[in-house]
Every structure is written in structure tokens, then in C-alpha cells.
Amino acid sequence: MKKILFIILSIVFATNAIANQPKEWQLGFQNAASEGMRDIVNFHNNLLLPIIIAISVFVLFLMIYASVRFRASRNPNPSKTTHNVAVEVLWTLIPCLILIVMAVPSFKILYKQDTIPKADLTIKAVGYQWYWGYEYPDENVIFESYMIKEEDLKENQPRLLAVDNEVVVPVNKVVKVLITANDVLHAWALPSFGVKRDAVPGRINETWFKAEKVGTYYGQCSELCGIQHAFMPIAVRVVSDEEYAEWLSDAKVRFAKEPILENENKKIASK
């Protein structure tokens, strides 16, 4: 009974109840943290959902009406009508019109997602069996991101979602993400940003997002990639410009893709 009540309350208060990660018994989308996700949520809630509800109610009405109006006790001699031209035209034309109404805003959203504006930051995400690797091509930074095991979780770290090395990006900046895979198909997905792209070996897909809120956002591989598919989460930490600059300075030392020449020269000079 409590679960049923919780589900009902989740539907009514869905917008306020959902945070940056999945919640137990959650229904609906996570809170939008980018304009792209906000467009998707509005498209679903303001157009698709009313259409789906209207169609469901109409079909239910037709089923009940047909069951009552044409029941055997009321129609001992069943009708021999085989077709009706007007009805056949309507049930072909009306669905086509509904699809056109849905298609126009849908194409606008798809075009907006596929048109990448000038990026402030570029990140490369590589799917491996079974973890993610990340590279900041312009910053000489590369690192791997593994899921934290349940026994090693710290307070407030979500199970199956927390990672040892999070992707860090500045708030209100356009982030371009290059996505590929090293072995099998993966998919890089972040629900709060409305982002989901397949990671294909030998090919680079790209997407983008502009996070509007500071916080940590979680996603998961969304392509069935193997035995440990459920254990390669995605964590993106959105911070202020100052915090990002501080993190980047530290990351260039910890995760340097190639030796930093300045440091190498200092080592040679000290010998």
C-alpha cells in the first residue's frame, strides 16, 4: 500500500522529487540541467503525454462501447458489414495528422541537438570493457574512470553510480563530447543533460551539452556491451569557473598524457 501511495505521489510531484540521479520508485525524467533536456521534457509533457492519454481514453471508450452495444444478447443476428469507407479513411488520415503534429517539434529538437555550437571545452570519452576513459585533448589530460565498489563507498556516494575519477566541467560552458569505443559497442548517456550517443569502435560520434546548474550528474552505459555492462557508470561534476581552473591545474599533474617538459627540465637540471 505504501509503495502504491509513493508512486501516486511521485506522479503528482514528479518535477520536485527527482534529482541528479535515479531515485527508488522514480517515475518520469530526472530534473533537466541543460536547455536540451528541458526541450525534451517539455516536448514529452506538453505534447506527447496529452496525445497518448487522449488516444488511450478514446480506444478504451471504443472497446467499452463495442462490448456493450454489440454484445450477443443485444444482437442475436450479427451484422454482416465488412467495411466502411468513411471509417477507413478516418483511421488512416487522423493518425497521419497526429504524426505530423508530433514530427515538427521533434525535428526541431533533433536538429538543435545535432548542431554543435562553438565549444568552450572538448572532452573525449572512450568506452572499454568495462569502464570509461576520458581525455581533455586541449589540456594534455587523460584518465580512466572506474565504478567504486559497494564496500568502498563513502557517505552520499550512490551505489553503482559513483566513480573514482569524475569528469569535471565548468558551469554555463558549451562542452563538446567526442565519443568512441575501444572494443565493443557502448553508449554514453547522461539523462539530466538529455545526452545519449553510441560509442562505436573505429568511429567517433559527437554530442554537446551546456550544464546550467552546479552539481554532480550521473549516467550509465546504455548499450548492452557485455557481462559487466551494469558496472560502467558515468559521473560528471559541474563546478564554477574558479573550481574548474583549480581542478585542471591539479589534473595536468596527476593525469598528464605526456611528460610536462617544464618539469622534465627541472629534473634534469637538479641532477
Side-chain angles (χ1 to χ4, degrees), residues 2-191:
K2 289 183 178 180
K3 290 182 178 180
I4 295 175
L5 180 61
F6 188 85
I7 291 174
I8 295 173
L9 291 175
S10 297
I11 295 174
V12 177
F13 301 105
T15 306
N16 297 323
I18 304 169
N20 307 335
Q21 64 192 56
K23 298 296 183 182
E24 188 175 358
W25 293 97
Q26 172 184 320
L27 293 176
F29 295 107
Q30 295 182 25
N31 278 350
S34 71
E35 185 179 357
M37 185 56 182
R38 196 161 54 248
D39 291 340
I40 293 172
V41 172
N42 289 336
F43 175 62
H44 175 271
N45 292 347
N46 299 331
L47 183 62
L48 293 187
L49 205 55
I51 290 175
I52 292 170
I53 293 173
I55 292 174
S56 300
V57 171
F58 178 67
V59 172
L60 178 62
F61 165 76
L62 288 181
M63 292 175 62
I64 295 174
Y65 176 80
S67 298
V68 174
R69 174 66 178 79
F70 301 104
R71 65 186 185 275
S73 60
R74 189 170 180 179
N75 296 273
N77 298 315
S79 171
K80 291 183 170 47
T81 302
T82 58
H83 68 278
N84 183 294
V85 175
V87 171
E88 290 176 0
V89 170
L90 287 175
W91 75 32
T92 302
L93 186 61
I94 293 175
C96 289
L97 294 176
I98 293 174
L99 289 176
I100 292 173
V101 170
M102 292 165 50
V104 173
S106 175
F107 289 158
K108 288 182 179 180
I109 294 175
L110 289 173
Y111 179 79
K112 187 175 181 179
Q113 289 183 329
D114 286 338
T115 304
I116 301 178
K118 183 179 179 180
D120 299 302
L121 172 66
T122 299
I123 296 173
K124 184 177 181 181
V126 183
Y128 297 93
Q129 291 179 311
W130 283 272
Y131 62 94
W132 289 99
Y134 296 100
E135 181 177 351
Y136 290 63
D138 301 327
E139 305 295 349
N140 192 42
V141 170
I142 183 169
F143 58 88
E144 296 169 344
S145 181
Y146 291 90
M147 185 192 76
I148 298 177
K149 295 182 180 180
E150 188 171 357
E151 58 269 21
D152 298 326
L153 288 174
K154 298 178 181 178
E155 188 178 0
N156 296 325
Q157 286 186 324
R159 175 178 172 270
L160 299 180
L161 292 175
V163 299
D164 55 356
N165 293 315
E166 299 170 334
V167 175
V168 179
V169 299
V171 69
N172 291 321
K173 300 293 184 182
V174 176
V175 180
K176 180 179 179 180
V177 187
L178 306 176
I179 303 169
T180 187
N182 183 64
D183 32 56
V184 298
L185 291 175
H186 299 280
W188 202 80
L190 271 173

